[in-house]
């Protein structure tokens, strides 16, 4: 079933079923989803602004060029979900089940993503500015040109990740786990300065 260009505002949905649906350009503002399912759905160009997903099943959702702005995923199931080209500014994923969650290039600034694993994930050009990424795993991730300006990254595992072209300005370098991480000269300078050194 396809849903196109519908607008819902300040509504509460209990046990709604959008599973295996196609949502095109739909907009939800200030809505609360309690239970229910979007499992297996395809979302394209949709906007969720100030929405809350509580115990909602979003397993296997494919979201492309969507916006999740200042949303809260509270005990939601995001197992195997894939976000591509999405804008998720200010959204809190910390309370969700995020095993297998894939975030492609997109805007995740000011997001809360504590403890999420992005191991072996392609995140080229992703923006994590000011995001809470404490204890995340980026092992073997492709982070070329990714932006981490002022992000909280204590305990982040960046082993074997590719950070070339990326930005770590304002990040607490000493709190990162870096082993065999690919970096370029500008990043080497940032890291050296973060460790109290300087290039001569």
């Amino acid at each position: 079933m396809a849903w196109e260009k519908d607008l819902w505002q300040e509504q509460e949905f209990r046990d709604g079923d959008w599973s295996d649906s196609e949502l095109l350009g739909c907009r939800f503002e200030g809505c609360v989803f309690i239970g229910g399912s979007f499992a297996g759905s395809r979302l394209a160009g949709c906007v969720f602004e100030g929405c809350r997903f509580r115990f909602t099943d979003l397993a296997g959702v494919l979201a492309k060029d969507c916006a999740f702005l200042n949303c809260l995923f509270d005990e939601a199931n995001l197992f195997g979900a894939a976000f591509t080209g999405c804008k998720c500014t200010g959204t809190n994923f910390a309370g969700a089940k995020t095993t297998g969650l894939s975030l492609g290039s997109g805007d995740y600034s000011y997001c809360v993503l504590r403890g999420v694993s992005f191991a072996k994930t392609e995140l080229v050009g992703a923006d994590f500015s000011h995001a809470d990424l404490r204890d995340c795993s980026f092992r073997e991730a492709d982070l070329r040109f990714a932006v981490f300006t002022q992000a909280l990254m204590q305990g982040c595992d960046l082993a074997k990740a590719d950070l070339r072209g990326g930005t770590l300005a304002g990040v607490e370098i000493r709190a990162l786990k870096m082993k065999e991480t690919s970096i370029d000269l500008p990043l080497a300078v940032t890291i050296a300065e973060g460790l109290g050194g300087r290039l001569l």
Side-chain angles (χ1 to χ4, degrees), residues 21-22 63 65 70 80 86 111 128 161 172 176 181 194 198:
S21 296
E22 189 172 17
D65 300 325
N70 298 306
C86 294
C111 280
F128 292 102
E172 188 178 340
L176 302 177
T181 305
R198 60 191 179 93

Side-chain angles (χ1 to χ4, degrees), residues 126-164:
D127 186 355
F128 292 102
S129 299
H130 303 275
D132 184 347
L133 303 171
R134 287 174 287 182
D135 298 317
C136 285
S137 173
F138 291 98
R139 290 182 67 90
E140 300 182 56
D142 188 346
L143 298 168
R144 287 173 296 160
F145 305 104
V147 179
F148 293 96
T149 301
Q150 298 291 330
L152 297 176
M153 299 182 70
Q154 288 86 344
C156 270
D157 187 352
L158 294 161
K160 298 185 179 179
D162 190 345
L163 271 168
R164 290 173 296 172

